[in-house]
Amino acid sequence: MADSRRDWRALVVVLAFSDLTAVLLAFWLSAALVWRPGVGINGGNDTDWLVLLMIPVLGLIFIVQGLYEPANLLVGAREFAGVFRASTYGLLAITVITFVLRWPLSRAWTVASWALMTGLVIAVRFLVRRIAAAVRQRGRLTERVVVVGADEDSIALAEQVNQPGSGMRVVGILDDYIPTGTELPGGLRVVGPSASLLQTTGRLHVQDAIVAPHALPWETLRELMLVSATRANGLRVHLSAGFYDLLTAGVRFSERNHVPLLTLRKARLSAVERVIKGVLDVGLAALLVVALSPLVGLMAVWQWRSGSPLRIEHDRVLGRNLISFDLLRFRSSAPFQSDFLCKLPGLLNVLRGQLSLVGPRPMSEAEAERPGGMPLTTIQPGLTGPWRQAADPAEQATLDLYYVRSYSVWLDVAVLYERAMFRLRPLAKRCLDVVGAAILLGLSSPIVATCFLVVWLGSGAPLIYRRRVVGRGGVTFDAYKIRTMVTDADRLLSQDEALQRQFGESNKIVGDPRITRVGRLLRKLSLDELPQLVNVVRGEMSLVGPRMITVAELPEWGAAGQLLLSVRPGLTGLWQVSGRQLLSKAERIRLDAEYVRRMSLRLDLTILARTLLVVVSGHGAY
């Protein structure tokens, strides 16, 4: 608890210092731009007094806008919208101060200061957010939470919240029907009844409680809301919204003859939001059409030379106000079959005003008539959107509604950034694999040749052992290794029940008698795995990834097996730098699944650096 508060205080100090630096830099840059020689703008450059006066004023505006409150930091677009408002109010403050004091000041400097201040503060805060996200992956900047109400949905919510990087960690569940101490799926435990909310949160040092309304009786829910509203104990109570709760999230309060009413708002954008969104869509779509036109030309030439001209398909979908239109897609073949490339003609739909870059999922008339089909007729569908995160139509409908309810320009930018990173991360990882493997192949070729010679002198041929393993998508391939066992190792294992039992329990054999004397040294230094660099270049493996498994081992991985098959197996991985063969099978499965969930280029580089240290030390290898 104390560590969490200390982390948040440190974050606020960092943000305050970065904001001050960005503001001062914005004032200095605008002065350099406006009053540089030859520009011809008068007004003088004696603005030091105004800058000194504006620093505390801007600091107060930033505080009033909630830019240092934890609830507004690190998630969503609210923080960036607050920066925009604070900078705008700062511009108004400069205008008022100079008008009252009748000090002539260049309007160009004022506008430049506002624009640079907004851009620099947002950029710096975005960088701080990325650093904080990495810190959160290590369990810092994380609040302890209890969930009130136990059912299937609330347990799934708790497991989702407990994923690394969420900023929350569920430490228990309160429920009136399940006995205290009962262990629930996901390692969760019931820590008391709902009536003990205040006592339990105080005992467990919890600051937040998430209430699942659908898992509680109305009387209990009402009591919890009264307690959270009237007790000054600092506990923040959140209500978990299901799909139908989300439908009523956009409400307007009104009163008729002292009768309070909540009026449901339509899922639509305001006129101003539609204009801003239209300008953003057309501008970015035009820029992308120009930038990607050489790629489209390359696709057309490739398809023409392969004997199958590049074609555009027409899918009839519903647009705004249920007006149907043809959604354009490329019909292409390898190597241009990616979903991103096939969707490029959709940019023409955006320029025609039929589609948005970001918006709800486009639906055909047949999909709209199915149970659960619910096209949002008040807004244009999107080429991409939050709905891309889910496969189930019901979940996509929920995400579409969330998008409209929470709409802002910053949300569009955030969605486009996340989708771009989703596309670029695999490309960056593949570039790292190819370049890294090619360099390592060149550097290690003398070592591999020496290893081949030593193995041949010690036990003859074959020099390479081919292990049939499962790759991405369930496709099997031969992973190459320098042979470290005797030539009839598989036969010896099949004839020894003790070895079979030990291998079945942990996929490893301590003091394996089948390993040759040379092979033991090669394994200790991990030199036997160098031929797998060829598998990396061929695209069957990655430098960093989950552990290779065989078809026979796949059932042992359970639900995590499908997660592992979504990526290429790795030459090294999180399991190798965390203990290698000293780890249990369950621990290796957990680490592999954690790697897939956290996969990033930064994590890959970290694991590669740690692998070098592990290989040099030889820790955990046998």
Side-chain angles (χ1 to χ4, degrees):
M1 181 70 172
D3 291 341
S4 177
R5 290 178 177 174
R6 190 161 51 246
D7 291 342
W8 280 107
R9 284 197 295 267
L11 176 64
V12 170
V13 170
V14 169
L15 286 175
F17 178 77
S18 64
D19 290 342
L20 175 63
T21 304
V23 168
L24 291 176
L25 182 59
F27 283 139
W28 180 80
L29 285 175
S30 33
L33 289 172
V34 172
W35 290 302
R36 66 186 183 190
V39 173
I41 298 178
N42 297 322
N45 57 2
D46 187 16
T47 57
D48 292 346
W49 66 272
L50 182 59
V51 170
L52 292 175
L53 178 62
M54 284 305 302
I55 292 301
V57 173
L58 285 170
L60 180 61
I61 293 174
F62 274 45
I63 293 173
V64 170
Q65 289 297 313
L67 294 178
Y68 302 108
E69 295 180 8
N72 297 331
L73 302 178
L74 303 184
V75 292
R78 186 185 306 174
E79 178 182 1
F80 301 138
V83 171
F84 180 83
R85 290 194 302 270
S87 300
T88 303
Y89 294 150
L91 172 66
L92 293 176
I94 292 176
T95 304
V96 170
I97 291 173
T98 54
F99 176 78
V100 170
L101 298 179
R102 297 184 177 181
W103 182 269
L105 189 66
S106 168
R107 278 175 277 183
W109 179 85
T110 307
V111 174
S113 298
W114 167 78
L116 287 170
M117 185 191 314
T118 304
L120 288 175
V121 173
I122 288 177
V124 171
R125 280 183 171 251
F126 180 79
L127 178 61
V128 172
R129 178 178 289 199
R130 302 305 297 178
I131 297 173
V135 172
R136 270 187 167 174
Q137 292 287 348
R138 296 176 173 84
R140 309 294 294 272
L141 291 173
T142 300
E143 302 290 348
R144 294 165 62 86
V145 183
V146 294
V147 172
V148 185
D151 65 1
E152 184 177 347
D153 291 337
S154 64
I155 292 174
L157 178 148
E159 292 178 344
Q160 182 67 22
V161 168
N162 275 340
Q163 295 294 331
S166 71
M168 288 184 171
R169 183 169 67 88
V170 178
V171 297
I173 291 184
L174 302 178
D175 192 78
D176 296 334
Y177 304 105
I178 302 177
T180 300
T182 303
E183 187 167 345
L184 302 175
L188 303 169
R189 188 178 296 276
V190 177
V191 293
S194 60
S196 66
L197 174 63
L198 297 182
Q199 296 84 347
T200 303
T201 53
R203 174 170 54 86
L204 298 178
H205 304 291
V206 169
Q207 286 185 310
D208 294 80
I210 300 178
V211 178
H214 40 76
L216 298 171
W218 166 245
E219 295 80 4
T220 303
L221 179 61
R222 181 177 59 182
E223 183 66 24
L224 288 173
M225 295 175 68
L226 287 174
V227 167
S228 65
T230 57
R231 301 293 178 88
N233 60 346
L235 178 67
R236 294 185 292 267
V237 177
H238 313 273
L239 294 180
S240 165
F243 178 64
Y244 291 105
D245 299 314
L246 189 63
L247 287 175
T248 61
V251 296
R252 175 174 52 84
F253 179 80
S254 59
E255 183 180 343
R256 293 293 184 273
N257 197 23
H258 307 294
V259 177
L261 300 174
L262 293 178
T263 305
L264 300 184
R265 291 178 177 172
K266 295 289 186 181
R268 62 177 57 168
L269 305 183
S270 67
V272 174
E273 288 172 336
R274 285 200 301 271
V275 171
I276 295 175
K277 184 174 178 62
V279 172
L280 179 67
D281 285 341
V282 172
L284 283 180
L287 183 63
L288 289 172
V289 167
V290 173
L292 298 174
S293 56
L295 179 59
V296 175
L298 178 62
M299 291 174 61
V301 172
W302 183 280
Q303 293 290 123
W304 175 74
R305 295 196 63 179
S306 63
S308 55
L310 188 63
R311 297 179 181 178
I312 294 182
E313 294 182 337
H314 300 258
D315 296 329
R316 201 71 180 171
V317 297
L318 296 174
R320 188 180 173 193
N321 298 325
L322 296 180
I323 299 174
S324 61
F325 66 93
D326 287 331
L327 179 60
L328 307 179
R329 287 178 59 90
F330 276 139
R331 181 180 179 181
S332 184
S333 58
F336 299 106
Q337 286 181 308
S338 76
D339 185 57
F340 171 75
L341 296 177
C342 291
K343 286 167 49 181
L344 289 182
L347 294 172
L348 299 179
N349 292 114
V350 177
L351 294 176
R352 292 175 181 175
Q354 301 166 326
L355 199 67
S356 291
L357 285 176
V358 182
R361 182 173 73 93
M363 286 188 184
S364 65
E365 292 183 1
E367 288 178 308
E369 292 173 356
R370 292 173 187 167
M374 189 184 63
L376 297 180
T377 61
T378 58
I379 182 174
Q380 291 170 338
L383 198 58
T384 188
W387 54 272
R388 285 279 178 184
Q389 303 172 18
D392 181 65
E395 293 182 24
Q396 290 177 338
T398 303
L399 292 171
D400 284 343
L401 199 56
Y402 161 78
Y403 167 77
V404 179
R405 297 293 192 202
S406 310
Y407 179 75
S408 70
V409 176
W410 308 111
L411 181 56
D412 269 14
V413 173
V415 171
L416 290 172
Y417 172 79
E418 287 299 326
R419 296 308 302 174
M421 291 298 101
F422 177 79
R423 297 290 182 185
L424 291 176
R425 286 186 190 112
L427 179 61
K429 182 177 177 65
R430 184 58 186 150
C431 290
L432 175 65
D433 288 341
V434 173
V435 174
I439 293 174
L440 290 175
L441 274 173
L443 295 177
S444 63
S445 54
I447 301 176
V448 173
T450 303
C451 293
F452 283 156
L453 178 61
V454 172
V455 171
W456 183 73
L457 292 175
S459 56
L463 304 179
I464 290 288
Y465 174 73
R466 299 169 181 260
R467 185 187 182 202
R468 198 69 178 173
V469 297
V470 185
R472 187 173 63 171
V475 178
T476 59
F477 67 94
D478 287 331
Y480 304 127
K481 297 183 67 173
I482 299 176
R483 183 173 60 82
T484 58
M485 292 186 176
V486 295
T487 54
D488 57 346
D490 293 335
R491 183 184 61 81
L492 293 178
L493 178 63
S494 63
Q495 294 176 352
D496 194 319
E497 294 183 1
L499 292 181
Q500 291 181 39
R501 190 182 314 110
Q502 188 177 357
F503 185 79
E505 291 174 354
S506 58
N507 288 112
K508 60 192 178 190
I509 300 175
V510 180
D512 195 335
R514 301 172 300 159
I515 301 177
T516 64
R517 185 171 57 182
V518 172
R520 202 171 303 278
L521 176 62
L522 295 180
R523 288 193 173 199
K524 186 75 173 177
L525 299 176
S526 297
L527 297 178
D528 60 318
E529 298 178 353
L530 288 177
Q532 290 172 10
L533 291 170
V534 175
N535 294 112
V536 175
V537 173
R538 293 172 57 174
E540 298 164 334
M541 292 181 61
S542 180
L543 287 177
V544 182
R547 177 181 176 271
M548 292 183 300
I549 56 177
T550 63
V551 175
E553 293 175 305
L554 188 57
E556 302 174 5
W557 258 244
Q562 296 303 315
L563 192 63
L564 266 60
L565 295 184
S566 65
V567 297
R568 297 181 180 93
L571 187 63
T572 184
L574 195 57
W575 59 274
Q576 189 176 41
V577 299
S578 303
R580 301 174 80 178
Q581 300 294 346
L582 298 179
L583 300 174
S584 66
K585 182 187 296 184
E587 188 67 11
R588 291 204 300 269
I589 294 174
R590 185 190 68 80
L591 288 173
D592 280 340
E594 180 182 346
Y595 168 79
V596 177
R597 286 192 291 263
R598 293 175 50 195
M599 190 167 56
S600 68
L601 190 60
R602 181 174 60 248
L603 179 60
D604 280 9
L605 294 174
T606 302
I607 290 175
L608 288 173
R610 291 175 60 186
T611 299
L612 179 62
L613 299 177
V614 170
V615 169
V616 171
S617 66
H619 179 68
Y622 54 82

